[in-house]
């Protein structure tokens, strides 16, 4: 059988990142590997810029995208999403002792990844904030630390991971989960005509949610 080629943007721990041995790793990767085991399929993984994932999926460079990707109405016009596999929310981070409340954000420079739902949300809902687009969240966080940005806006689970290694940063304001922008959770995407693969993925997800495999992987990456 042909392998299933998965693509991710591996700059977003704990979802996907390059580990110290330069292997792609993370919650999404472990989940995809378990899915492939369940589907009795061979899987490969590759790393790309986040904003190229959907266009290259359409060009058949790979078969599926798993990349901390929100299931949004807009993306659903271009790709077919699986059932949600993770419920998320978004939050702002700043350097401690700078901004203390979300109502101080007017005119501030906020970084986020190009093509992300966070970018779209801020551009549409908060035109008073100056958005700065980055190739990857990793670079945005570096610029927040060195003062080129006032804040970074990202998924809560990813933000929590950055905070672990950046004691000088902290969250500010509420967690945002507006479904019009952030959808119904994270999903795996395939081409719209690939209903066969999607049916297999959803069946495998159901089985893994039922037999405890999903919980085991989730507990490992998101310890309570
Ligand atoms: N692997 C990544 N870099 N993912 C970024 C995802 C950001 C956000 N959850 C979105 O769907 O737009």
């Amino acid at each position: 059988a042909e392998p299933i080629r998965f693509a991710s943007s591996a700059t977003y721990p704990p979802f996907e990142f390059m580990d110290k041995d330069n292997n792609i790793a993370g919650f999404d990767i472990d989940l995809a590997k378990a899915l492939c085991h369940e589907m009795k399929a061979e899987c490969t993984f590759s790393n790309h810029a986040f904003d190229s994932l959907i266009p290259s999926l359409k060009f058949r460079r790979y078969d599926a995208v798993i990349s901390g990707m929100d299931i949004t109405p807009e993306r659903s016009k271009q790709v077919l999403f699986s059932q949600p596999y993770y419920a998320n929310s978004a939050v702002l981070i700043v350097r401690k002792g700078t901004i203390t409340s979300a109502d101080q954000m007017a005119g501030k420079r906020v970084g986020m990844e190009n093509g992300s739902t966070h970018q779209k949300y801020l551009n549409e809902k908060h035109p008073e904030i100056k958005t700065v687009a980055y190739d990857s969240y990793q670079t945005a966080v570096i610029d927040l630390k060195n003062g080129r940005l006032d804040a970074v806006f990202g998924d809560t689970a990813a933000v929590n991971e950055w905070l672990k290694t950046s004691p000088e940063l902290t969250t500010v304001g509420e967690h945002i989960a507006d479904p019009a922008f952030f959808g119904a959770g994270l999903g795996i995407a395939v081409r719209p005509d690939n209903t066969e693969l999607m049916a297999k993925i959803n069946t495998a997800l159901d089985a893994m949610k039922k037999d405890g495999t999903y919980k085991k992987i989730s507990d490992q990456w998101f310890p309570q």
Side-chain angles (χ1 to χ4, degrees):
E2 293 276 293
I4 302 170
R5 298 167 300 169
F6 274 90
S8 312
S9 187
T11 57
Y12 209 49
F15 295 107
E16 46 271 321
F17 56 96
M18 302 309 287
D19 70 13
K20 54 184 186 325
D21 303 317
N22 216 30
N23 292 316
I24 197 162
F27 171 69
D28 285 351
I29 309 304
D30 282 355
L31 189 69
K33 284 180 179 164
L35 280 171
C36 293
H37 181 78
E38 181 69 35
M39 297 187 285
K40 299 189 173 43
E42 197 194 306
C43 287
T44 62
F45 295 88
S46 59
N47 182 14
H48 311 270
F50 187 74
D51 65 345
S52 76
L53 290 173
I54 289 181
S56 298
L57 177 68
K58 289 175 152 177
F59 279 119
R60 302 183 170 268
R61 285 190 58 193
Y62 29 76
D63 309 302
V65 168
I66 186 161
S67 196
M69 188 176 272
D70 298 323
I71 304 171
T72 67
E74 202 192 9
R75 290 173 181 157
S76 298
K77 290 180 193 150
Q78 307 188 63
V79 298
L80 183 60
F81 277 111
S82 66
Q83 57 173 295
Y85 66 84
Y86 186 83
N88 65 331
S89 66
V91 71
L92 278 170
I93 47 168
V94 298
R95 288 183 306 284
K96 282 180 184 162
T98 58
I99 294 160
T100 51
S101 138
D103 55 23
Q104 299 161 7
M105 291 307 296
K108 294 291 190 294
R109 291 167 58 83
V110 181
M112 77 288 299
E113 201 164 80
N114 211 21
S116 66
T117 46
H118 308 109
Q119 180 183 40
K120 191 172 158 68
Y121 177 85
L122 285 186
N123 284 341
E124 290 184 18
K125 297 278 271 195
H126 291 282
E128 78 283 9
I129 294 177
K130 169 130 188 43
T131 56
V132 186
Y134 284 82
D135 276 355
S136 86
Y137 269 108
Q138 268 168 350
T139 332
V141 173
I142 292 172
D143 274 6
L144 173 60
K145 289 191 197 176
N146 67 27
R148 281 198 202 106
L149 290 174
D150 301 302
V152 168
F153 187 46
D155 286 299
T156 303
V159 160
N160 287 339
E161 198 66 27
W162 305 328
L163 292 183
K164 280 187 201 163
T165 51
S166 307
E168 70 272 43
L169 303 180
T170 186
T171 60
V172 68
E174 310 217 314
H175 293 243
I176 303 165
D178 184 339
F181 288 88
F182 302 108
L186 305 182
I188 299 168
V190 304
R191 279 180 296 281
D193 60 359
N194 209 346
T195 49
E196 198 184 321
L197 176 57
M198 188 44 78
K200 282 188 199 159
I201 289 175
N202 277 326
T203 305
L205 267 173
D206 281 336
M208 284 163 51
K209 283 181 178 173
K210 220 170 157 182
D211 73 7
T213 309
Y214 175 86
K215 189 178 183 308
K216 205 174 135 212
I217 299 170
S218 160
D219 286 350
Q220 183 195 333
W221 288 100
F222 306 104
Q224 297 303 315

